[in-house]
Amino acid sequence: MVKNKPGKNKKLSILFVTTNLNYNGAKKYIVEVANELATRGCRVGLLYDSGPLAKKLVKEVRQYHIDLKGLGLDSVSRWRLVIKAATLARNEDYTIIHSESANSFISHKLLSFLSRAKIVETIHHVWNSDQERRKAAAKISGRADKIITISTSALKVLASFGLKKRKIVVIQNGINTKEYEKINKNEVEVLRKNLGVSKKDRVIVSVSRVSKAKNFEAFVNWFPYILSSFPSAKLVIVGDNGSGDRGYLDGLIKKIRSLNLHKNIICVGGKTFVKNYLGLAEIYTVTTVARGLAVLEAMSSGLPVVARKPLMPVKIETTINGKTGLVFGKGDYKNWAGHIKYLLSNPTVARKMGAEGRKRASEFFTVQKHVDQLEKLYQRLKT
């Protein structure tokens, strides 16, 4: 991370608010951004319940805890979060409150009134139908001073359904790409041994929230098609559903065993540090559109990406079909399996795509570039 000159941002104070720091992209986003801002000299606080990603926070980030007792996003939790966040903002003099939830677990208007802070929200979600987009645009419009979206295309879509453009700012996602450029080969070999993966195995990895909406059953159903050409192929699935409930993941593992695929499809659950899992693989894949932080981690690791085409007209700024990876249509998992087989059959092409992806990530999707723009936004809101 790049440090600014001491004292440059001493008057910029931001409180991030979220329910937990469990394994998912939105929570990773908070950790990445909070760390970078704190390292630059900003005063940064983070209010949350609990979660394993807290291990990645730098010591400069002030941590505040609220016990939600597993209540999730019900009305009681919302009130408690509002009161706690507003109290912290006023007592600790935070001038910006930044939320990452697309579901608006905080009543932003009330929070703004009680805290006297400016409210910023980052939208990670992209809705799948016009009805969902229209409802989302109406709901989002009145709840924050500024809305951050991660793509120009997403801005246009939301604006077309009533969200005022003046409230939206586009800031591309970003991660600490340098963290993924080098791997510890000894650590990767230990991991390989622990997973029962040999050096001759052809490894595909998926780092994602593992939930019903992600439809991992389709990968399981079509993996035998890949095995028919590559018997040593292994699919390593890294992730859980982000809430601590293992119901879906356990069901997926049961299905894998029932199909006698447990030696070829390995579910490892959620992990705080995923770099070594990416270091095992030749290909990264995901059941959804390639737009999250995990995709950037894979690209920074030099892996080609195989992901789904978007359901709406949103340009994928991360994965470029045929250059940094390959895309398949909704429900077309035969095409997905075909893409995987093609890249396994053409490792030179796969490595070239991976190299292009790494170059693109380091050029456009660093956390430093993201926070450069974020700081400017915060400063404008202060004045």
Side-chain angles (χ1 to χ4, degrees), residues 10-54:
K10 64 182 180 180
K11 293 184 180 180
L12 195 57
S13 56
I14 311 101
L15 176 65
F16 287 91
V17 182
T18 188
T19 48
N20 59 61
L21 290 179
N22 290 338
Y23 304 110
N24 75 44
K27 312 305 181 182
K28 283 185 177 181
Y29 168 84
I30 277 195
V31 171
E32 288 270 6
V33 171
N35 282 347
E36 178 65 18
L37 284 165
T39 305
R40 292 183 178 207
C42 299
R43 193 161 63 85
V44 180
L46 174 53
L47 172 63
Y48 67 104
D49 183 340
S50 60
L53 290 177

mmCIF file of all heavy atoms in Angstrom, residues 10-54:
data_model
loop_
_atom_site.group_PDB
_atom_site.id
_atom_site.type_symbol
_atom_site.label_atom_id
_atom_site.label_comp_id
_atom_site.label_asym_id
_atom_site.label_seq_id
_atom_site.Cartn_x
_atom_site.Cartn_y
_atom_site.Cartn_z
ATOM 1 N N LYS A 10 -5.434 14.024 7.951
ATOM 2 C CA LYS A 10 -5.749 13.934 9.373
ATOM 3 C C LYS A 10 -7.158 14.417 9.697
ATOM 4 O O LYS A 10 -7.709 14.059 10.723
ATOM 5 C CB LYS A 10 -4.722 14.706 10.191
ATOM 6 C CG LYS A 10 -4.690 16.212 9.931
ATOM 7 C CD LYS A 10 -3.601 16.868 10.759
ATOM 8 C CE LYS A 10 -3.549 18.376 10.508
ATOM 9 N NZ LYS A 10 -2.482 19.009 11.313
ATOM 10 N N LYS A 11 -7.772 15.240 8.819
ATOM 11 C CA LYS A 11 -9.115 15.739 9.077
ATOM 12 C C LYS A 11 -10.186 14.882 8.421
ATOM 13 O O LYS A 11 -11.367 15.153 8.569
ATOM 14 C CB LYS A 11 -9.235 17.182 8.590
ATOM 15 C CG LYS A 11 -8.383 18.168 9.385
ATOM 16 C CD LYS A 11 -8.611 19.589 8.916
ATOM 17 C CE LYS A 11 -7.763 20.560 9.725
ATOM 18 N NZ LYS A 11 -7.968 21.961 9.269
ATOM 19 N N LEU A 12 -9.769 13.849 7.684
ATOM 20 C CA LEU A 12 -10.722 12.974 7.016
ATOM 21 C C LEU A 12 -10.988 11.773 7.911
ATOM 22 O O LEU A 12 -10.093 10.989 8.201
ATOM 23 C CB LEU A 12 -10.151 12.521 5.673
ATOM 24 C CG LEU A 12 -11.117 11.887 4.664
ATOM 25 C CD1 LEU A 12 -12.259 12.839 4.345
ATOM 26 C CD2 LEU A 12 -10.372 11.522 3.390
ATOM 27 N N SER A 13 -12.221 11.644 8.391
ATOM 28 C CA SER A 13 -12.553 10.560 9.320
ATOM 29 C C SER A 13 -13.781 9.816 8.813
ATOM 30 O O SER A 13 -14.815 10.425 8.533
ATOM 31 C CB SER A 13 -12.792 11.099 10.726
ATOM 32 O OG SER A 13 -13.804 12.083 10.722
ATOM 33 N N ILE A 14 -13.653 8.499 8.687
ATOM 34 C CA ILE A 14 -14.697 7.675 8.078
ATOM 35 C C ILE A 14 -15.034 6.512 8.997
ATOM 36 O O ILE A 14 -14.142 5.817 9.494
ATOM 37 C CB ILE A 14 -14.246 7.104 6.715
ATOM 38 C CG1 ILE A 14 -13.647 8.198 5.834
ATOM 39 C CG2 ILE A 14 -15.400 6.400 6.015
ATOM 40 C CD1 ILE A 14 -12.137 8.200 5.812
ATOM 41 N N LEU A 15 -16.324 6.285 9.194
ATOM 42 C CA LEU A 15 -16.796 5.123 9.936
ATOM 43 C C LEU A 15 -17.482 4.176 8.957
ATOM 44 O O LEU A 15 -18.484 4.536 8.331
ATOM 45 C CB LEU A 15 -17.785 5.534 11.031
ATOM 46 C CG LEU A 15 -18.429 4.379 11.822
ATOM 47 C CD1 LEU A 15 -17.369 3.631 12.636
ATOM 48 C CD2 LEU A 15 -19.541 4.899 12.729
ATOM 49 N N PHE A 16 -16.929 2.979 8.790
ATOM 50 C CA PHE A 16 -17.571 1.951 7.977
ATOM 51 C C PHE A 16 -18.525 1.155 8.866
ATOM 52 O O PHE A 16 -18.202 0.843 10.015
ATOM 53 C CB PHE A 16 -16.528 1.012 7.364
ATOM 54 C CG PHE A 16 -15.738 1.642 6.251
ATOM 55 C CD1 PHE A 16 -14.550 2.303 6.517
ATOM 56 C CD2 PHE A 16 -16.186 1.586 4.945
ATOM 57 C CE1 PHE A 16 -13.819 2.894 5.499
ATOM 58 C CE2 PHE A 16 -15.466 2.175 3.914
ATOM 59 C CZ PHE A 16 -14.278 2.832 4.197
ATOM 60 N N VAL A 17 -19.687 0.826 8.314
ATOM 61 C CA VAL A 17 -20.700 0.107 9.084
ATOM 62 C C VAL A 17 -21.172 -1.101 8.290
ATOM 63 O O VAL A 17 -21.552 -0.986 7.117
ATOM 64 C CB VAL A 17 -21.906 1.016 9.406
ATOM 65 C CG1 VAL A 17 -22.928 0.264 10.252
ATOM 66 C CG2 VAL A 17 -21.456 2.277 10.121
ATOM 67 N N THR A 18 -21.149 -2.265 8.923
ATOM 68 C CA THR A 18 -21.632 -3.488 8.284
ATOM 69 C C THR A 18 -22.118 -4.446 9.362
ATOM 70 O O THR A 18 -21.872 -4.229 10.552
ATOM 71 C CB THR A 18 -20.530 -4.138 7.432
ATOM 72 O OG1 THR A 18 -21.086 -5.224 6.688
ATOM 73 C CG2 THR A 18 -19.385 -4.652 8.285
ATOM 74 N N THR A 19 -22.806 -5.489 8.958
ATOM 75 C CA THR A 19 -23.316 -6.444 9.940
ATOM 76 C C THR A 19 -22.221 -7.367 10.449
ATOM 77 O O THR A 19 -22.134 -7.652 11.636
ATOM 78 C CB THR A 19 -24.440 -7.301 9.327
ATOM 79 O OG1 THR A 19 -24.008 -7.794 8.058
ATOM 80 C CG2 THR A 19 -25.700 -6.481 9.157
ATOM 81 N N ASN A 20 -21.373 -7.858 9.551
ATOM 82 C CA ASN A 20 -20.346 -8.817 9.945
ATOM 83 C C ASN A 20 -19.196 -8.760 8.953
ATOM 84 O O ASN A 20 -19.263 -8.046 7.945
ATOM 85 C CB ASN A 20 -20.919 -10.238 10.009
ATOM 86 C CG ASN A 20 -21.504 -10.679 8.678
ATOM 87 O OD1 ASN A 20 -20.807 -10.756 7.663
ATOM 88 N ND2 ASN A 20 -22.807 -10.959 8.653
ATOM 89 N N LEU A 21 -18.149 -9.508 9.253
ATOM 90 C CA LEU A 21 -17.014 -9.635 8.333
ATOM 91 C C LEU A 21 -16.830 -11.097 7.952
ATOM 92 O O LEU A 21 -15.741 -11.656 8.028
ATOM 93 C CB LEU A 21 -15.742 -9.062 8.966
ATOM 94 C CG LEU A 21 -15.711 -7.541 9.120
ATOM 95 C CD1 LEU A 21 -14.414 -7.093 9.780
ATOM 96 C CD2 LEU A 21 -15.886 -6.832 7.782
ATOM 97 N N ASN A 22 -17.936 -11.717 7.544
ATOM 98 C CA ASN A 22 -17.879 -13.086 7.050
ATOM 99 C C ASN A 22 -17.358 -13.096 5.617
ATOM 100 O O ASN A 22 -17.096 -12.056 5.023
ATOM 101 C CB ASN A 22 -19.261 -13.740 7.130
ATOM 102 C CG ASN A 22 -19.681 -13.996 8.567
ATOM 103 O OD1 ASN A 22 -18.845 -14.083 9.460
ATOM 104 N ND2 ASN A 22 -20.974 -14.091 8.802
ATOM 105 N N TYR A 23 -17.233 -14.295 5.045
ATOM 106 C CA TYR A 23 -16.615 -14.435 3.734
ATOM 107 C C TYR A 23 -17.579 -14.035 2.620
ATOM 108 O O TYR A 23 -18.479 -14.792 2.275
ATOM 109 C CB TYR A 23 -16.179 -15.884 3.506
ATOM 110 C CG TYR A 23 -15.261 -16.438 4.559
ATOM 111 C CD1 TYR A 23 -15.698 -17.410 5.445
ATOM 112 C CD2 TYR A 23 -13.945 -15.995 4.669
ATOM 113 C CE1 TYR A 23 -14.852 -17.934 6.406
ATOM 114 C CE2 TYR A 23 -13.099 -16.506 5.628
ATOM 115 C CZ TYR A 23 -13.558 -17.481 6.499
ATOM 116 O OH TYR A 23 -12.722 -17.992 7.454
ATOM 117 N N ASN A 24 -17.430 -12.851 2.061
ATOM 118 C CA ASN A 24 -18.057 -12.501 0.787
ATOM 119 C C ASN A 24 -17.418 -11.232 0.250
ATOM 120 O O ASN A 24 -16.682 -10.531 0.957
ATOM 121 C CB ASN A 24 -19.593 -12.398 0.888
ATOM 122 C CG ASN A 24 -20.091 -11.156 1.577
ATOM 123 O OD1 ASN A 24 -19.607 -10.057 1.332
ATOM 124 N ND2 ASN A 24 -21.087 -11.313 2.437
ATOM 125 N N GLY A 25 -17.688 -10.938 -1.015
ATOM 126 C CA GLY A 25 -16.991 -9.850 -1.688
ATOM 127 C C GLY A 25 -17.233 -8.485 -1.077
ATOM 128 O O GLY A 25 -16.315 -7.662 -0.988
ATOM 129 N N ALA A 26 -18.488 -8.213 -0.652
ATOM 130 C CA ALA A 26 -18.794 -6.906 -0.076
ATOM 131 C C ALA A 26 -18.010 -6.671 1.210
ATOM 132 O O ALA A 26 -17.572 -5.553 1.496
ATOM 133 C CB ALA A 26 -20.292 -6.791 0.185
ATOM 134 N N LYS A 27 -17.814 -7.725 1.993
ATOM 135 C CA LYS A 27 -17.056 -7.590 3.239
ATOM 136 C C LYS A 27 -15.557 -7.440 2.948
ATOM 137 O O LYS A 27 -14.851 -6.689 3.625
ATOM 138 C CB LYS A 27 -17.292 -8.801 4.144
ATOM 139 C CG LYS A 27 -18.747 -9.191 4.324
ATOM 140 C CD LYS A 27 -19.619 -8.052 4.813
ATOM 141 C CE LYS A 27 -21.060 -8.523 4.992
ATOM 142 N NZ LYS A 27 -21.958 -7.449 5.414
ATOM 143 N N LYS A 28 -15.079 -8.168 1.941
ATOM 144 C CA LYS A 28 -13.683 -7.999 1.524
ATOM 145 C C LYS A 28 -13.432 -6.561 1.084
ATOM 146 O O LYS A 28 -12.372 -5.991 1.345
ATOM 147 C CB LYS A 28 -13.350 -8.948 0.365
ATOM 148 C CG LYS A 28 -13.124 -10.394 0.756
ATOM 149 C CD LYS A 28 -12.686 -11.191 -0.466
ATOM 150 C CE LYS A 28 -12.377 -12.627 -0.111
ATOM 151 N NZ LYS A 28 -11.915 -13.397 -1.298
ATOM 152 N N TYR A 29 -14.422 -5.997 0.400
ATOM 153 C CA TYR A 29 -14.312 -4.613 -0.070
ATOM 154 C C TYR A 29 -14.078 -3.668 1.104
ATOM 155 O O TYR A 29 -13.190 -2.805 1.067
ATOM 156 C CB TYR A 29 -15.590 -4.237 -0.817
ATOM 157 C CG TYR A 29 -15.738 -2.757 -1.099
ATOM 158 C CD1 TYR A 29 -15.137 -2.178 -2.213
ATOM 159 C CD2 TYR A 29 -16.478 -1.937 -0.248
ATOM 160 C CE1 TYR A 29 -15.271 -0.820 -2.473
ATOM 161 C CE2 TYR A 29 -16.620 -0.585 -0.499
ATOM 162 C CZ TYR A 29 -16.014 -0.031 -1.611
ATOM 163 O OH TYR A 29 -16.144 1.311 -1.855
ATOM 164 N N ILE A 30 -14.871 -3.814 2.154
ATOM 165 C CA ILE A 30 -14.729 -2.946 3.325
ATOM 166 C C ILE A 30 -13.333 -3.068 3.922
ATOM 167 O O ILE A 30 -12.691 -2.076 4.269
ATOM 168 C CB ILE A 30 -15.795 -3.292 4.381
ATOM 169 C CG1 ILE A 30 -17.097 -2.586 4.040
ATOM 170 C CG2 ILE A 30 -15.351 -2.906 5.772
ATOM 171 C CD1 ILE A 30 -18.108 -2.548 5.145
ATOM 172 N N VAL A 31 -12.851 -4.299 4.058
ATOM 173 C CA VAL A 31 -11.532 -4.518 4.659
ATOM 174 C C VAL A 31 -10.439 -3.888 3.803
ATOM 175 O O VAL A 31 -9.552 -3.189 4.313
ATOM 176 C CB VAL A 31 -11.278 -6.025 4.861
ATOM 177 C CG1 VAL A 31 -9.837 -6.283 5.283
ATOM 178 C CG2 VAL A 31 -12.243 -6.587 5.911
ATOM 179 N N GLU A 32 -10.487 -4.121 2.487
ATOM 180 C CA GLU A 32 -9.469 -3.574 1.580
ATOM 181 C C GLU A 32 -9.441 -2.044 1.654
ATOM 182 O O GLU A 32 -8.377 -1.425 1.786
ATOM 183 C CB GLU A 32 -9.759 -4.010 0.136
ATOM 184 C CG GLU A 32 -9.503 -5.475 -0.156
ATOM 185 C CD GLU A 32 -8.074 -5.743 -0.618
ATOM 186 O OE1 GLU A 32 -7.246 -4.810 -0.597
ATOM 187 O OE2 GLU A 32 -7.798 -6.894 -0.996
ATOM 188 N N VAL A 33 -10.618 -1.430 1.561
ATOM 189 C CA VAL A 33 -10.700 0.032 1.514
ATOM 190 C C VAL A 33 -10.342 0.647 2.865
ATOM 191 O O VAL A 33 -9.607 1.642 2.937
ATOM 192 C CB VAL A 33 -12.107 0.471 1.060
ATOM 193 C CG1 VAL A 33 -12.283 1.975 1.204
ATOM 194 C CG2 VAL A 33 -12.341 0.056 -0.387
ATOM 195 N N ALA A 34 -10.847 0.062 3.947
ATOM 196 C CA ALA A 34 -10.534 0.580 5.283
ATOM 197 C C ALA A 34 -9.030 0.517 5.546
ATOM 198 O O ALA A 34 -8.435 1.467 6.077
ATOM 199 C CB ALA A 34 -11.297 -0.211 6.343
ATOM 200 N N ASN A 35 -8.404 -0.587 5.173
ATOM 201 C CA ASN A 35 -6.956 -0.729 5.365
ATOM 202 C C ASN A 35 -6.180 0.331 4.593
ATOM 203 O O ASN A 35 -5.253 0.958 5.120
ATOM 204 C CB ASN A 35 -6.499 -2.119 4.914
ATOM 205 C CG ASN A 35 -6.816 -3.207 5.918
ATOM 206 O OD1 ASN A 35 -7.171 -2.928 7.063
ATOM 207 N ND2 ASN A 35 -6.696 -4.453 5.498
ATOM 208 N N GLU A 36 -6.552 0.529 3.336
ATOM 209 C CA GLU A 36 -5.824 1.489 2.504
ATOM 210 C C GLU A 36 -5.991 2.912 3.034
ATOM 211 O O GLU A 36 -5.018 3.680 3.115
ATOM 212 C CB GLU A 36 -6.307 1.396 1.058
ATOM 213 C CG GLU A 36 -5.657 2.381 0.101
ATOM 214 C CD GLU A 36 -4.169 2.168 -0.107
ATOM 215 O OE1 GLU A 36 -3.673 1.069 0.205
ATOM 216 O OE2 GLU A 36 -3.498 3.109 -0.582
ATOM 217 N N LEU A 37 -7.205 3.278 3.406
ATOM 218 C CA LEU A 37 -7.445 4.622 3.944
ATOM 219 C C LEU A 37 -6.673 4.844 5.242
ATOM 220 O O LEU A 37 -6.069 5.901 5.453
ATOM 221 C CB LEU A 37 -8.940 4.826 4.186
ATOM 222 C CG LEU A 37 -9.801 5.078 2.947
ATOM 223 C CD1 LEU A 37 -11.276 4.887 3.276
ATOM 224 C CD2 LEU A 37 -9.562 6.483 2.391
ATOM 225 N N ALA A 38 -6.687 3.840 6.119
ATOM 226 C CA ALA A 38 -5.980 3.970 7.397
ATOM 227 C C ALA A 38 -4.484 4.081 7.182
ATOM 228 O O ALA A 38 -3.797 4.863 7.859
ATOM 229 C CB ALA A 38 -6.302 2.773 8.291
ATOM 230 N N THR A 39 -3.959 3.322 6.228
ATOM 231 C CA THR A 39 -2.526 3.364 5.941
ATOM 232 C C THR A 39 -2.116 4.721 5.383
ATOM 233 O O THR A 39 -0.987 5.166 5.576
ATOM 234 C CB THR A 39 -2.156 2.245 4.944
ATOM 235 O OG1 THR A 39 -2.584 0.992 5.471
ATOM 236 C CG2 THR A 39 -0.658 2.183 4.720
ATOM 237 N N ARG A 40 -3.044 5.395 4.720
ATOM 238 C CA ARG A 40 -2.759 6.723 4.168
ATOM 239 C C ARG A 40 -2.830 7.828 5.219
ATOM 240 O O ARG A 40 -2.530 8.977 4.928
ATOM 241 C CB ARG A 40 -3.747 7.038 3.049
ATOM 242 C CG ARG A 40 -3.582 6.174 1.817
ATOM 243 C CD ARG A 40 -4.546 6.582 0.725
ATOM 244 N NE ARG A 40 -4.351 5.767 -0.467
ATOM 245 C CZ ARG A 40 -4.632 6.170 -1.699
ATOM 246 N NH1 ARG A 40 -5.110 7.384 -1.906
ATOM 247 N NH2 ARG A 40 -4.433 5.370 -2.721
ATOM 248 N N GLY A 41 -3.263 7.498 6.417
ATOM 249 C CA GLY A 41 -3.315 8.502 7.465
ATOM 250 C C GLY A 41 -4.701 8.997 7.805
ATOM 251 O O GLY A 41 -4.861 9.864 8.665
ATOM 252 N N CYS A 42 -5.729 8.475 7.133
ATOM 253 C CA CYS A 42 -7.102 8.835 7.494
ATOM 254 C C CYS A 42 -7.460 8.186 8.831
ATOM 255 O O CYS A 42 -6.894 7.158 9.206
ATOM 256 C CB CYS A 42 -8.083 8.351 6.429
ATOM 257 S SG CYS A 42 -7.818 9.056 4.791
ATOM 258 N N ARG A 43 -8.409 8.784 9.532
ATOM 259 C CA ARG A 43 -8.910 8.164 10.758
ATOM 260 C C ARG A 43 -10.091 7.287 10.367
ATOM 261 O O ARG A 43 -11.119 7.782 9.892
ATOM 262 C CB ARG A 43 -9.329 9.226 11.774
ATOM 263 C CG ARG A 43 -9.556 8.669 13.178
ATOM 264 C CD ARG A 43 -9.505 9.787 14.209
ATOM 265 N NE ARG A 43 -10.567 10.747 13.977
ATOM 266 C CZ ARG A 43 -11.807 10.609 14.451
ATOM 267 N NH1 ARG A 43 -12.129 9.551 15.168
ATOM 268 N NH2 ARG A 43 -12.716 11.529 14.212
ATOM 269 N N VAL A 44 -9.941 5.982 10.555
ATOM 270 C CA VAL A 44 -10.912 5.015 10.050
ATOM 271 C C VAL A 44 -11.415 4.137 11.185
ATOM 272 O O VAL A 44 -10.626 3.593 11.968
ATOM 273 C CB VAL A 44 -10.288 4.119 8.953
ATOM 274 C CG1 VAL A 44 -11.312 3.107 8.444
ATOM 275 C CG2 VAL A 44 -9.767 4.971 7.804
ATOM 276 N N GLY A 45 -12.736 4.012 11.269
ATOM 277 C CA GLY A 45 -13.357 3.099 12.214
ATOM 278 C C GLY A 45 -14.218 2.095 11.474
ATOM 279 O O GLY A 45 -14.660 2.347 10.348
ATOM 280 N N LEU A 46 -14.455 0.955 12.099
ATOM 281 C CA LEU A 46 -15.281 -0.087 11.490
ATOM 282 C C LEU A 46 -16.184 -0.691 12.552
ATOM 283 O O LEU A 46 -15.711 -1.252 13.543
ATOM 284 C CB LEU A 46 -14.395 -1.163 10.855
ATOM 285 C CG LEU A 46 -15.077 -2.406 10.282
ATOM 286 C CD1 LEU A 46 -16.174 -2.038 9.301
ATOM 287 C CD2 LEU A 46 -14.057 -3.309 9.597
ATOM 288 N N LEU A 47 -17.493 -0.558 12.351
ATOM 289 C CA LEU A 47 -18.499 -1.113 13.259
ATOM 290 C C LEU A 47 -19.066 -2.382 12.643
ATOM 291 O O LEU A 47 -19.588 -2.358 11.528
ATOM 292 C CB LEU A 47 -19.617 -0.089 13.487
ATOM 293 C CG LEU A 47 -20.850 -0.581 14.266
ATOM 294 C CD1 LEU A 47 -20.475 -0.990 15.685
ATOM 295 C CD2 LEU A 47 -21.931 0.502 14.279
ATOM 296 N N TYR A 48 -18.985 -3.488 13.382
ATOM 297 C CA TYR A 48 -19.490 -4.761 12.877
ATOM 298 C C TYR A 48 -19.711 -5.708 14.053
ATOM 299 O O TYR A 48 -19.294 -5.435 15.180
ATOM 300 C CB TYR A 48 -18.507 -5.373 11.875
ATOM 301 C CG TYR A 48 -17.187 -5.821 12.476
ATOM 302 C CD1 TYR A 48 -16.922 -7.166 12.712
ATOM 303 C CD2 TYR A 48 -16.202 -4.891 12.817
ATOM 304 C CE1 TYR A 48 -15.715 -7.579 13.266
ATOM 305 C CE2 TYR A 48 -14.998 -5.292 13.369
ATOM 306 C CZ TYR A 48 -14.757 -6.632 13.591
ATOM 307 O OH TYR A 48 -13.562 -7.037 14.149
ATOM 308 N N ASP A 49 -20.350 -6.834 13.781
ATOM 309 C CA ASP A 49 -20.593 -7.833 14.815
ATOM 310 C C ASP A 49 -19.341 -8.675 15.027
ATOM 311 O O ASP A 49 -18.650 -8.560 16.033
ATOM 312 C CB ASP A 49 -21.789 -8.706 14.407
ATOM 313 C CG ASP A 49 -22.160 -9.745 15.467
ATOM 314 O OD1 ASP A 49 -21.311 -10.056 16.323
ATOM 315 O OD2 ASP A 49 -23.288 -10.246 15.441
ATOM 316 N N SER A 50 -19.026 -9.523 14.067
ATOM 317 C CA SER A 50 -17.857 -10.390 14.165
ATOM 318 C C SER A 50 -17.572 -10.940 12.773
ATOM 319 O O SER A 50 -18.264 -10.602 11.813
ATOM 320 C CB SER A 50 -18.112 -11.549 15.145
ATOM 321 O OG SER A 50 -19.213 -12.333 14.692
ATOM 322 N N GLY A 51 -16.578 -11.797 12.652
ATOM 323 C CA GLY A 51 -16.300 -12.430 11.368
ATOM 324 C C GLY A 51 -14.820 -12.639 11.138
ATOM 325 O O GLY A 51 -13.986 -11.851 11.593
ATOM 326 N N PRO A 52 -14.465 -13.696 10.424
ATOM 327 C CA PRO A 52 -13.061 -14.073 10.233
ATOM 328 C C PRO A 52 -12.235 -13.082 9.426
ATOM 329 O O PRO A 52 -11.013 -13.041 9.570
ATOM 330 C CB PRO A 52 -13.151 -15.427 9.517
ATOM 331 C CG PRO A 52 -14.507 -15.435 8.880
ATOM 332 C CD PRO A 52 -15.383 -14.675 9.810
ATOM 333 N N LEU A 53 -12.868 -12.275 8.563
ATOM 334 C CA LEU A 53 -12.093 -11.328 7.763
ATOM 335 C C LEU A 53 -11.483 -10.213 8.604
ATOM 336 O O LEU A 53 -10.628 -9.465 8.124
ATOM 337 C CB LEU A 53 -12.957 -10.733 6.649
ATOM 338 C CG LEU A 53 -13.338 -11.685 5.512
ATOM 339 C CD1 LEU A 53 -14.254 -10.990 4.517
ATOM 340 C CD2 LEU A 53 -12.101 -12.214 4.797
ATOM 341 N N ALA A 54 -11.903 -10.107 9.860
ATOM 342 C CA ALA A 54 -11.301 -9.119 10.762
ATOM 343 C C ALA A 54 -9.800 -9.360 10.923
ATOM 344 O O ALA A 54 -9.044 -8.434 11.237
ATOM 345 C CB ALA A 54 -11.989 -9.161 12.121
#
